[in-house]
């Protein structure tokens, strides 16, 4: 089993490596050591595109700062990677707009100090 690692930008998705891992789940039973090794193998990745993932691995990936993306399952890898990048760019734009707004407004009565 392996993960294909892609570098993705607006120009496209390019395969830059492969990271071999052991299966971290068999028959509904998780293997914590294999999952830890998978997390180490995915270090440096922002997201992992998968068809499905269990709750525990999803939580461990999120805690490691790796976004789990199932929305583009069964699409060609390059198309799925570009769709994820577009969604990421849209989220970043929204978050940036949110940060540009005032964070706090304090209402005071006339003549009252805040």
């Amino acid at each position: 089993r392996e993960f294909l690692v892609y570098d993705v930008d607006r120009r496209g998705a390019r395969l830059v490596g492969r990271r071999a891992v052991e299966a971290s789940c068999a028959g509904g039973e998780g293997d914590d050591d294999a999952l830890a090794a998978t997390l180490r193998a995915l270090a440096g990745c922002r997201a992992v595109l998968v068809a499905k993932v269990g709750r525990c691995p999803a939580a461990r990936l999120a805690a490691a700062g790796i976004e789990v993306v199932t929305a583009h399952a069964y699409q060609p890898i390059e198309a799925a990677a570009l769709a994820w990048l577009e969604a990421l760019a849209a989220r970043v734009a929204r978050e940036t707009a949110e940060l540009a707004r005032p964070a706090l407004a304090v209402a005071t009565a006339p003549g009252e100090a805040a």
Side-chain angles (χ1 to χ4, degrees), residues 7-110:
D7 185 25
V8 185
D9 60 29
R10 293 192 186 279
R11 295 173 303 204
R14 290 162 303 290
L15 179 66
V16 295
R18 298 169 182 266
R19 298 184 187 175
V21 297
E22 292 182 35
S24 59
C25 183
E29 296 296 320
D31 179 340
D32 286 338
D33 292 337
L35 181 53
T38 297
L39 291 171
R40 286 191 300 276
L42 294 174
C45 295
R46 284 188 80 148
V48 60
L49 302 177
V50 295
K52 64 181 180 175
V53 64
R55 285 188 307 266
C56 179
R60 299 264 310 265
L61 286 160
I66 301 170
E67 178 184 0
V68 175
V69 180
T70 58
H72 311 292
Y74 308 110
Q75 292 182 9
I77 293 170
E78 291 80 4
L82 289 171
W84 166 79
L85 181 64
E86 286 180 23
L88 174 65
R91 274 197 322 269
V92 168
R94 280 192 306 277
E95 291 170 4
T96 301
E98 288 286 323
L99 291 174
R101 292 191 302 172
L104 176 66
V106 178
T108 61

